[in-house]
Amino acid sequence: MTSTASSMDTRQEQALKDQRPSWQQRLRRFGYAAGPRSDVRDRLVPPYVEPSPRLWQTLGVSKEFAGRIGRWSAWGGPLLVTLFAGVIRFWNLGSPKAVIFDETYYAKDAWALVHRGYEVNWDKNVNDLILSNNGKVPIPTDAAYVVHPPVGKYVIGLGELIFGLNPFGWRFMTALLGTLAILMLCRIGRRLFRSTFLGCLAGALMAVDGLAFVMARTSLLDGVLMFFVLAAFGCLLIDRDRAREKLAAALPADADGRIRPDAHIAETTRFGWRPWRWLAGLMIGLAIGTKWNGLYVLIFFCVLTVLWDVGSRKVAGAGRPYVAVLRHDLGFAILATWPVAIATYVMSWLGWILSPANGSGGYYRNWATTPDGKGSSWSWLFPDWWRSLWHYEHEVYKFNINLSSPHTYQSNPWSWIVTGRPVSYFYESPAPGKDGCPTDAGEKCAREVLAIGTPLLWWVGCFAILYVLWRWFFRRDWRAGAIACGIAAGYLPWFLYQDRTIFFFYTIIFVPFLCLAVAMLLGAIIGPSGAGDTRRVAGAAGAGVLVLLIAWNFIYFWPLYTGTAIPIDEWRSRMWLDTWV
């Protein structure tokens, strides 16, 4: 009797395997293979990967000390990577002692914002006066028309309040946020991959990316935007883990103590207010308040987090996960992101709102009191400041979509991923013996700050993007999907504006996700933990060589990232593509 029952169970299990969905059967031809089903708790909240005991035995490390190293490395590793990134970013931060590229707008706008609450029109020759007088210049009162929201400029202005209106002061906060972004990326990568090593590797790759390095040392808005977008992604990732932990805790255990799926619990469990999702809404609001393309990030991330909820409930056993998410999660997801982001954006204009509405305040602040503003059919419903702000935003929108003035360093997004057309922020040709040019240089030197990603990192990144797309589509790897979403949110929208004047450095918004993609590819090259020693050693050697080449490439281009004077022939040797000149 027992034998018969056992054989029936075996046949039933085989029948279930044979009833694999047709899409899954088709994907097997492209490399898809569902892994063995484990405890539902481990699938909802996977454990973190730990080094193999053989490694500690080879190194002669005791089990107790190995445990302490593992616990320390969770924060110690990211902090060490961040320390390295911070040292090189803050080193000689005030050089070049010049107003480079768009610092001519944002450094002065930030100074005006933190003192007057709105941007002002500066004299055309004020840059030289600022540099010669260490920023001790009078602030005009005439309001200026600007096309970017104020958050990023307030961030820059905070550094100026501490250190003054000088190159170090207006670059301090971008360097600080650029350094903290490395710490966030290490921790995000650790949580995403469940591996401290891969998390730290992603952070280290970003630490030696030329574009991330240059943007952290330049007073532009895009580095601030990247920080808030990455922070929002990290908050959503933590929220995902918290929700899945709560779902796992609610599921029943069988007689063997294994957590089993339960359709009723999976479809009815409520996750509550989810504070990390609200914090993500705040971060996205600050991103939009820095540059408007944060709106695209809001859309992409909202879709991502809803799909994460669907996946969580499906793993827990929900028969209709989309219906369950629609009932219990979607409304709170919208409430915690869109209203919070919009409210944060509006509050960022508080300095402009509180400025006088008699014509002596911010630009367009008095529009609602003019004949054009008074004639609005909505004037009875909304306060003057709201109608003035709405008009201002409408004018900025028209400016942004119609911006097509030719620029020497503009580029098409098709070329961005291969660093086709970087942007020169600063260039001088000092003579031998001047401004750091060696006396034996022969002819003149070149001194440049070039906003270009570390070429080898970005070219490897092209293959890494293809890899994560394959992992997401054919292996249904949610980690690859999350990385692809981050890249898509910062990259794809620009294809809608190919006729607009746009630049390569806009890609800084998705550089962290590009580094995550490369780290994931390198992890695949190293091989899974269950692979044989020969496979792992060969994989680790290959991945290690690739990382060393990327680090060497960063060092090789160091003079072009920092404005270090080098002989003109050495500068030419670094112009690998004609489009870089």
Side-chain angles (χ1 to χ4, degrees):
M1 184 73 177
T2 303
S3 175
T4 302
S6 176
S7 63
M8 290 179 62
D9 291 341
T10 302
R11 289 195 299 271
Q12 289 173 354
E13 289 179 3
Q14 185 62 43
L16 289 174
K17 291 180 181 179
D18 293 339
Q19 292 173 5
R20 188 185 304 274
S22 59
W23 67 267
Q24 198 168 347
Q25 294 276 17
R26 291 194 298 269
L27 289 183
R28 286 177 63 85
R29 292 178 295 174
F30 298 96
Y32 176 84
R37 294 296 184 181
S38 58
D39 189 296
V40 174
R41 179 186 296 277
D42 289 340
R43 293 173 60 200
L44 285 171
V45 190
Y48 284 88
V49 176
E50 295 186 4
S52 171
R54 290 179 297 175
L55 174 64
W56 301 123
Q57 292 173 5
T58 303
L59 297 176
V61 177
S62 67
K63 184 177 180 181
E64 293 76 12
F65 188 61
R68 287 198 292 270
I69 292 176
R71 291 189 296 271
W72 169 86
S73 64
W75 275 102
L79 287 173
L80 285 176
V81 175
T82 305
L83 177 62
F84 164 75
V87 168
I88 63 176
R89 277 156 175 73
F90 279 96
W91 176 84
N92 204 18
L93 182 61
S95 176
K97 188 179 179 181
V99 181
I100 66 175
F101 200 62
D102 280 355
E103 285 185 343
T104 189
Y105 305 115
Y106 305 130
K108 292 177 294 188
D109 285 348
W111 188 249
L113 270 176
V114 296
H115 285 88
R116 299 209 182 279
Y118 57 90
E119 297 88 341
V120 300
N121 283 312
W122 295 85
D123 185 84
K124 292 183 179 179
N125 301 317
V126 75
N127 287 351
D128 294 334
L129 189 62
I130 289 173
L131 293 172
S132 59
N133 292 347
N134 196 31
K136 296 178 181 179
V137 296
I139 304 174
T141 57
D142 182 26
Y145 173 68
V146 296
V147 295
H148 289 303
V151 170
K153 288 168 280 189
Y154 274 121
V155 170
I156 294 169
L158 180 59
E160 293 175 334
L161 284 176
I162 300 172
F163 299 102
L165 185 59
N166 55 64
F168 184 87
W170 62 63
R171 295 170 191 160
F172 175 80
M173 286 303 297
T174 54
L176 179 62
L177 295 189
T179 302
L180 292 177
I182 303 296
L183 177 61
M184 283 198 301
L185 185 61
C186 289
R187 293 288 297 177
I188 286 171
R190 179 180 184 270
R191 184 176 291 272
L192 187 71
F193 300 125
R194 286 311 201 244
S195 167
T196 300
F197 171 75
L198 289 182
C200 290
L201 178 59
L205 290 171
M206 186 170 169
V208 296
D209 175 60
L211 182 63
F213 179 78
V214 170
M215 293 301 290
R217 292 169 56 88
T218 311
S219 183
L220 269 65
L221 301 180
D222 299 82
V224 181
L225 171 66
M226 176 274 293
F227 175 84
F228 288 130
V229 168
L230 184 60
F233 181 81
C235 291
L236 291 177
L237 194 60
I238 295 174
D239 170 75
R240 178 186 184 274
D241 279 358
R242 296 289 184 269
R244 291 169 78 93
E245 287 170 2
K246 185 171 183 179
L247 198 55
L251 291 174
D254 61 15
D256 297 325
R258 291 170 57 88
I259 302 299
R260 295 297 187 184
D262 185 286
H264 176 72
I265 292 176
E267 293 178 1
T268 59
T269 297
R270 296 179 181 271
F271 297 128
W273 286 96
R274 305 175 71 165
W276 284 104
R277 184 176 276 178
W278 289 80
L279 186 57
L282 174 64
M283 293 296 107
I284 296 177
L286 292 173
I288 299 170
T290 300
K291 292 189 79 171
W292 276 8
N293 46 319
L295 277 167
Y296 290 109
V297 175
L298 175 60
I299 296 170
F300 275 81
F301 281 9
C302 281
V303 173
L304 178 67
T305 189
V306 169
L307 291 178
W308 280 351
D309 285 343
V310 171
S312 299
R313 293 187 182 275
K314 185 176 181 180
V315 170
R320 298 187 298 171
Y322 287 94
V323 174
V325 168
L326 182 63
R327 287 178 177 175
H328 304 302
D329 303 324
L330 184 61
F332 286 110
I334 295 174
L335 183 64
T337 49
W338 284 89
V340 173
I342 293 172
T344 302
Y345 179 82
V346 173
M347 288 299 295
S348 72
W349 286 90
L350 192 60
W352 180 91
I353 294 170
L354 296 179
S355 68
N358 58 6
S360 62
Y363 201 87
Y364 278 138
R365 178 63 184 86
N366 67 327
W367 178 84
T369 63
T370 64
D372 289 339
K374 287 181 178 179
S376 170
S377 59
W378 298 97
S379 58
W380 62 275
L381 183 60
F382 296 104
D384 287 352
W385 67 265
W386 178 267
R387 289 185 290 118
S388 295
L389 181 59
W390 183 265
H391 176 73
Y392 195 171
E393 303 289 70
H394 181 259
E395 294 300 308
V396 169
Y397 172 75
K398 290 194 300 182
F399 172 87
N400 278 317
I401 63 173
N402 295 316
L403 179 62
S404 57
S405 303
H407 192 283
T408 304
Y409 290 104
Q410 72 182 66
S411 57
N412 190 283
W414 286 105
S415 70
W416 287 355
I417 201 65
V418 293
T419 63
R421 183 59 172 165
V423 182
S424 180
Y425 285 174
F426 171 83
Y427 186 89
E428 285 184 348
S429 301
K434 294 183 178 180
D435 295 329
C437 182
T439 55
D440 59 350
E443 50 182 325
K444 63 182 180 180
C445 285
R447 189 173 179 227
E448 183 175 28
V449 175
L450 186 66
I452 181 174
T454 301
L456 289 183
L457 173 61
W458 281 68
W459 295 339
V460 171
C462 295
F463 295 97
I465 291 174
L466 294 177
Y467 173 71
V468 298
L469 290 175
W470 175 80
R471 289 283 308 187
W472 171 54
F473 189 75
F474 292 121
R475 290 295 185 92
R476 292 297 192 263
D477 191 327
W478 74 271
R479 304 168 302 171
I483 295 170
C485 178
I487 295 174
Y491 187 24
L492 294 185
W494 290 111
F495 286 92
L496 301 174
Y497 305 99
Q498 295 185 60
D499 295 330
R500 186 184 183 274
T501 306
I502 51 180
F503 302 93
F504 168 73
F505 65 83
Y506 293 173
T507 60
I508 185 63
I509 188 175
F510 68 78
V511 165
F513 302 97
L514 184 69
C515 293
L516 287 171
V518 175
M520 190 172 188
L521 175 63
L522 292 173
I525 292 174
I526 294 172
S529 57
D533 289 345
T534 302
R535 166 69 178 86
R536 294 275 286 179
V537 169
V545 169
L546 198 54
V547 171
L548 289 176
L549 286 174
I550 291 171
W552 163 83
N553 202 206
F554 175 75
I555 295 171
Y556 181 70
F557 279 86
W558 174 270
L560 301 188
Y561 301 143
T562 58
T564 302
I566 55 176
I568 193 67
D569 286 339
E570 292 188 19
W571 176 85
R572 291 193 186 104
S573 69
R574 288 166 171 80
M575 295 295 106
W576 288 358
L577 302 179
D578 292 342
T579 54
W580 291 2
V581 180

